[in-house]
Amino acid sequence: MSNSKNTEKAVIPAQGEPLPSWYGDLLGEVKATVSRARARAQRAVNTELVQMYWEIGHHILRRQKEEGWGTKVVARLATDLKTTFPNQRGFSRSNLMYMHLMARTWPEPIVQQPVGQLPWGHIIILVTKLKTRSELDFYALRAVQQGWSRDTLERHILQELHLTEGAADANFEATLPDGAAVARDIAKDPYRLDFLGLDKEHSERELEDALVANIVSFLTELGVGFAFVGRQYSVVIGGEEFRIDLLFYHLKLHRYVVVELKTKAPRPEHIGKLGFYVTVVDQLVRDPDRDDATLGILIGADRNRAACRIALQSSNRPLAVSSYATLPPQVQALMPSEEDLARVAQEVLDDEGGG
């Protein structure tokens, strides 16, 4: 009598047989693992490439300082490198000059800084479009944190985001002592709404219509994390209906954001009304177990800043007052189109979906 052991064997469905119900989950898990591994590999390759470019630029910069030679040496170096490494791209004279510029801009090891995590094309935009180190580091950090494409990076540079981000008048320090810095970053001044194509004498309703019709572009201008909840959002208090111009939810801050629009200069009474709407959302819409305090942003024409600041100080709700503006024609011509912005937004959604 033989001793046999019971062993489980994997059962592979024959061709044409129905797959088990759990197969879709297995396929999803494997695809996600492959996607994450590929993303890590791509980041590793990019980091090594940027590190190599920085080292080459550092060699060129050091020799130039020591020997005092000109750009002809760089041209000869480009020729010799392409001869030595015929299958290696990136050794053109112009690219070597970008490497030299990068090493001069960031003399300390590049991999220890946000810029070291960016693709080479992003770095070229940074070193050719910006001058001061503080501006370079600002855009490099934002590009890494928010996953900007090159088009988005260039658009934000053209719009001088470093001057507009967090520039709105606000009372966040007094009303949000634990989260004022983060909340301030989402309130710009001014907002660039050139994509709306409105006449100069437009009404508030036309402004609201245009923003909703171009919601992808408007969300891009608001910044990363905003989700659109509704327009003319209705709330009923004591049998009377009130309507909020635009209501958003900020996915990273876990807060509702009330946006009120004015085509004229905001007045103190408008700030009082905004505070009222913020209170309404806090009491009737917000989930206190999940959502933090609601923010309010009043966007209008240029305002009496002194009066607005006094009005903000008198409110115990977290509010900000900002403006919207258009760009000069020569700058607007360089801006990406609505199709470009929609494509970038779709790329972000695709990336998140492939997570």
Side-chain angles (χ1 to χ4, degrees), residues 175-187:
T175 56
L176 298 171
D178 296 329
V182 178
R184 175 170 284 282
D185 284 346
I186 74 168

Side-chain angles (χ1 to χ4, degrees), residues 305-324:
R305 304 193 78 143
C308 287
R309 287 171 181 170
I310 292 174
L312 287 170
Q313 291 171 7
S314 66
S315 176
N316 61 358
R317 294 295 176 179
L319 310 176
V321 181
S322 185
S323 60
Y324 65 94

Side-chain angles (χ1 to χ4, degrees), residues 245-289:
D245 285 351
L246 299 171
L247 183 62
F248 297 88
Y249 189 83
H250 200 283
L251 301 174
K252 293 187 176 182
L253 298 184
H254 303 288
R255 302 175 186 272
Y256 284 97
V257 181
V258 173
V259 174
E260 284 291 297
L261 305 170
K262 296 296 174 187
T263 55
K264 301 184 182 300
R267 304 286 299 168
E269 55 266 30
H270 299 148
I271 297 172
K273 184 177 181 182
L274 175 65
F276 167 73
Y277 284 143
V278 167
T279 302
V280 168
V281 173
D282 266 341
Q283 294 185 3
L284 301 183
V285 182
R286 179 175 73 99
D287 182 344
D289 296 327

